[in-house]
Amino acid sequence: MPTPLYAVTTDPLDLAALVSAVTTLPAHAPDEPRAVGPGAITSFVGVVRNENAGRRVLRLEYEGYEPLALRAFERIGAETAERWAVRMALHHRLGTLQIGEASVMIAVSSPHRADTFAACRYVIERVKQIAPVWKHEFFEGGDVWIEGATADPDDNEARQDAYDRACA
Amino acid sequence: MRVNIRLFARLRDIAGAGEMERQVPDGATVRTVWETLASEFADLKDYEVSISTAVNAEYSRMDAPVADGDEVAFLPPVSGG
């Protein structure tokens, strides 16, 4: 079965599968026989860090609202396509993750590298802003739910901020 | 009418369950559902200014109307990645 571009899963993530998903041209669309294929791929892997805000982190438990997360990923994909000529895959893991395990993976392909770097950064910034996913941090001495951004996909200021970071 | 409520992360901890059903009056909005919950679980009130909401797994606004059988979700600030 081909790797989906967007996924939320408790299974370990597989970067090679994401890269493959954005490298393979979609069944050579007959109406675009001369479409330019990928010339560059940028990937991002977020991993569980052993420290946060001075605390010694033991593990993270990720919770998500799966159907809304997939829609948020599709939305991020559409936003990305508005600005860059790229193909993008985005997978987020849920459940219990140990230090060093990958929690999120992104792969972006394009004919040229400038677009892949910018779009990849944009995608992770938007994930942090609007993906309905939460970290429950277990550290030495306790546990805490991490709360970051109030998710509002229509907040154009947040979207602009993500774009500015991507193109900095 | 009855709505299905979904709560996540710390909101789920406060209410002691991630899924529940509640009766709300006809003409209710997402805000009506939230106020019903907040009157039941006082600690939820702290989240009134920072939550996001969704109806049937689409982001929504507090003033969006809800219908019988809808799934209404309340999300604390997100921390994915």
Side-chain angles (χ1 to χ4, degrees):
Chain A
M1 205 181 80
T3 303
L5 290 179
Y6 309 124
V8 180
T9 175
T10 54
D11 294 333
L13 304 180
D14 177 0
L15 185 61
L18 273 83
V19 167
S20 173
V22 298
T23 306
T24 319
L25 274 176
H28 289 286
D31 52 329
E32 283 188 80
R34 290 162 180 278
V36 178
I41 294 165
T42 295
S43 63
F44 174 83
V45 178
V47 300
V48 177
R49 191 174 54 237
N50 66 358
E51 183 275 346
N52 186 36
R55 300 184 292 262
R56 178 59 52 178
V57 176
L58 303 173
R59 68 177 189 278
L60 295 179
E61 292 182 10
Y62 280 85
E63 178 172 328
Y65 185 17
E66 293 190 36
L68 183 60
L70 288 175
R71 284 178 176 169
F73 291 2
E74 285 165 8
R75 186 179 186 117
I76 293 169
E79 289 177 5
T80 306
E82 275 177 31
R83 293 191 150 142
W84 298 281
V86 295
R87 299 189 67 218
M88 189 273 282
L90 166 57
H91 292 190
H92 205 301
R93 192 164 171 201
L94 301 180
T96 301
L97 274 73
Q98 307 300 327
I99 305 303
E101 281 196 279
S103 55
V104 62
M105 287 186 180
I106 299 163
V108 178
S109 72
S110 174
H112 301 286
R113 67 185 180 281
D115 284 355
T116 62
F117 277 105
C120 190
R121 179 71 193 267
Y122 179 82
V123 170
I124 187 60
E125 297 301 330
R126 289 298 274 158
V127 165
K128 300 234 168 218
Q129 290 174 347
I130 67 168
V133 174
W134 298 270
K135 294 181 180 87
H136 193 178
E137 178 187 305
F138 291 80
F139 58 92
E140 275 182 8
D143 67 277
V144 63
W145 282 103
I146 306 299
E147 294 177 349
T150 293
D152 178 2
D154 298 322
D155 179 349
N156 285 325
E157 217 167 291
R159 200 176 154 183
Q160 184 63 40
D161 183 61
Y163 182 74
D164 291 346
R165 285 167 189 260
C167 298
Chain B
M1 62 181 168
R2 295 187 82 75
V3 293
N4 302 307
I5 297 169
R6 300 287 307 270
L7 298 172
F8 294 90
R10 177 108 205 293
L11 305 188
R12 178 171 56 76
D13 282 356
I14 290 171
E19 298 185 39
M20 56 189 77
E21 256 190 33
R22 289 294 180 274
Q23 191 80 33
V24 292
D26 286 347
T29 63
V30 172
R31 186 181 303 282
T32 318
V33 180
W34 172 256
E35 283 167 357
T36 302
L37 279 183
S39 67
E40 208 174 320
F41 308 103
D43 286 350
L44 289 180
K45 290 196 180 80
D46 295 343
Y47 281 87
E48 177 141 347
V49 294
S50 62
I51 48 167
S52 301
T53 60
V55 176
N56 298 329
E58 289 276 17
Y59 278 114
S60 75
R61 298 283 163 192
M62 276 297 227
D63 57 5
V66 296
D68 188 51
D70 275 355
E71 178 170 286
V72 182
F74 297 101
L75 322 175
V78 297
S79 57

